[in-house]
Every structure is written in C-alpha cells, then in structure tokens.
Amino acid sequence: MPARSVVISFTLALVLVACETPAPAPQGDAEALALLDRARQHHGSATLEGAEVRFTFRGVPFTARRDGGAYRYARTLTDNLGRTVEEVVDNEGTHRFINGTEVPLDAAEAARVHTAVNSVVYFALLPAPLADAAVRAQSLGPDSVGGQPYDRVEVTFAREGGGVDFEDRYVYWLRPADAQIGYYAYTYEPSPGDTSRTETGTRFRVPIGEVRAEGVLFQNWRNVTADSLADIADFGTAYDDGRTFEVSEVVLDDVRVAR
C-alpha cells in the first residue's frame, strides 16, 4: 500500500474512533437519568446550547452562555465611583473588569465573585446544568407535596468537574406528567461564623411563577428553610406540615434568549 494511502487510512481510523467515543455525560441509575432527560426536554434546555441568556436579578443584569463544554457567566455592576464593573466566571477562572480593563482578584475576592455569579446563573438555567458530566443522579422514588404526586431525584457531584461546591446535594421533585421541576431542595455551606436563623445550610424552593422565552421555561421561587430537618428529601413533608419559613424570593426579570 502506498505511504499516502496508509496515512489516509490511519487518519480515517482516528476519526472513526473519535466519533465512537461518547461525550461525557451524567452518571446514575437509569430511572433518575431518564427523569432528568425528560425535565431538560420539557424545560427547553437544548435551546440554551450556543445561545445567550440575559436577565435581571434583584436589579443586577446577568448574562450566560453555554456552548458545548465552554461557558461564560457574568454580572454587571456600577461601583461607588460610577465605573462599570463586570464580574465573570468562565472556563479560565474568575475575573473582574473595571471599565473594560481586567483587575487582579485575590483568592478571597475570587471565591466571593464566583459564588455570587455562578450560583445565580446555575439556578436560573436549571435543569440545563444537570446534563454536566459531574452530575451523579439517583432516583429516590415517589413523594407528594400539597396533595400532588412527584418523582424525586437526588443529584450529587463528582469531585472532578464538580466545582468548588461539589459536596452540595440536591433533591428535585418532578411532575410525573412532564418532569417539570415542581420543587427542589439543596444543601450548602453556611458562611463561617454566621449563626443567624436563616443560615441553616438547607433550602427548599417553592414555585411562584414562570415564563417562557424562545421556548425555554424559566421559573421563579420562594426560598424557604426549616430550623431542623433530618434529610432534605423530607422537605416536602416539612413544608406541608407548616414547619418551614420563608427566607427570600428568587425572581428573574426581563428574561431574554438570543442566538
């Protein structure tokens, strides 16, 4: 066989192997993964791929773009000198730009910016981020909240690729008919030294409204918690029993999706 033919054959073999290699995907039991896939379909999450999402949260403009494994989340502020401050979380790390010029961040500042930007965007785009390879999903079986049936799915994260909050745990209550997120609960690390009643380390989100933009479903929530709870999977019962109290509301304004 001529040398050029050998090279072509080898190149084609590499291409075929690459095409057969599956893209990184969430791991878990079949029922849980199927439920999360149905949820993403119902919420229109596929539309977000390669699109830019813009919204305002508590008066602050946010933008988010996810494209394959690449992402860029940002919020724009005005400081007390009237300068435009853009804080960004992307594949390269955490950044702050003042009037378009990047300024250095120490480790503590970078951590604060990352939490402030990433957490807002992550929750806003749910359930799209549940397709990330670090997701580990497990079915917890049926439950009811407010007299309505739901399927529960627990989501945890692998250390690799799971971000700084990889130890957080989530439970989603999904409507059986279409897997829309009905409620969800999560754990988080309270701020060191904060002993206020609201810093319980757990949250349960109750829907208070929704909007579709370009076919993508975005939801607004009432944030509640409880003084004591054995497991966040029991939040539905605690809520029905009146053992939760409101902490805040999570409302997205002026939501737009552009491709």
Side-chain angles (χ1 to χ4, degrees), residues 15 17 42-43 50 61-62 93 96 114 116 146 156 188 195 197 201 213-214 249:
V15 170
V17 169
H42 175 72
H43 283 252
F62 282 78
R96 176 180 287 149
H114 183 278
T156 55
Y188 65 93
T195 58
R197 185 175 180 228
E214 300 299 324
E249 289 188 351

Side-chain angles (χ1 to χ4, degrees), residues 5-84:
S5 298
V6 172
V7 171
I8 292 173
S9 298
F10 180 69
T11 301
L12 288 173
L14 287 177
V15 170
L16 290 172
V17 169
C19 291
E20 292 171 359
T21 302
Q27 303 296 310
D29 66 70
E31 182 178 1
L33 293 175
L35 284 167
L36 293 183
D37 186 59
R38 286 183 62 215
R40 291 193 298 273
Q41 290 181 33
H42 175 72
H43 283 252
S45 297
T47 301
L48 296 176
E49 189 69 15
E52 182 175 79
V53 179
R54 293 180 174 271
F55 62 88
T56 301
F57 176 64
R58 296 175 183 167
V60 177
F62 282 78
T63 61
R65 177 178 288 274
R66 292 166 60 88
D67 193 354
Y71 65 93
R72 186 182 190 276
Y73 304 156
R75 69 174 182 175
T76 304
L77 310 163
T78 301
D79 68 12
N80 55 11
L81 298 178
R83 301 175 301 181
T84 298

Side-chain angles (χ1 to χ4, degrees), residues 56-62 205 223 247-253:
T56 301
F57 176 64
R58 296 175 183 167
V60 177
F62 282 78
R205 292 199 168 176
N223 229 4
V247 174
S248 63
E249 289 188 351
V250 179
V251 176
L252 307 180
D253 296 311

Side-chain angles (χ1 to χ4, degrees), residues 193-248:
D194 193 333
T195 58
S196 64
R197 185 175 180 228
T198 61
E199 290 300 316
T200 59
T202 64
R203 290 289 187 267
F204 184 63
R205 292 199 168 176
V206 179
I208 56 174
E210 61 186 53
V211 62
R212 278 197 182 268
E214 300 299 324
V216 182
L217 177 63
F218 296 88
Q219 295 173 285
N220 296 321
W221 305 94
R222 178 176 296 112
N223 229 4
V224 306
T225 191
D227 286 324
S228 62
L229 197 72
D231 192 302
I232 60 171
D234 299 329
F235 247 124
T237 300
Y239 179 71
D240 282 347
D241 290 346
R243 292 188 284 114
T244 62
F245 60 92
E246 183 174 341
V247 174
S248 63

Side-chain angles (χ1 to χ4, degrees), residues 135-149:
V135 166
R136 300 294 180 264
Q138 177 183 355
S139 174
L140 298 182
D143 195 18
S144 65
V145 185
Q148 299 299 313

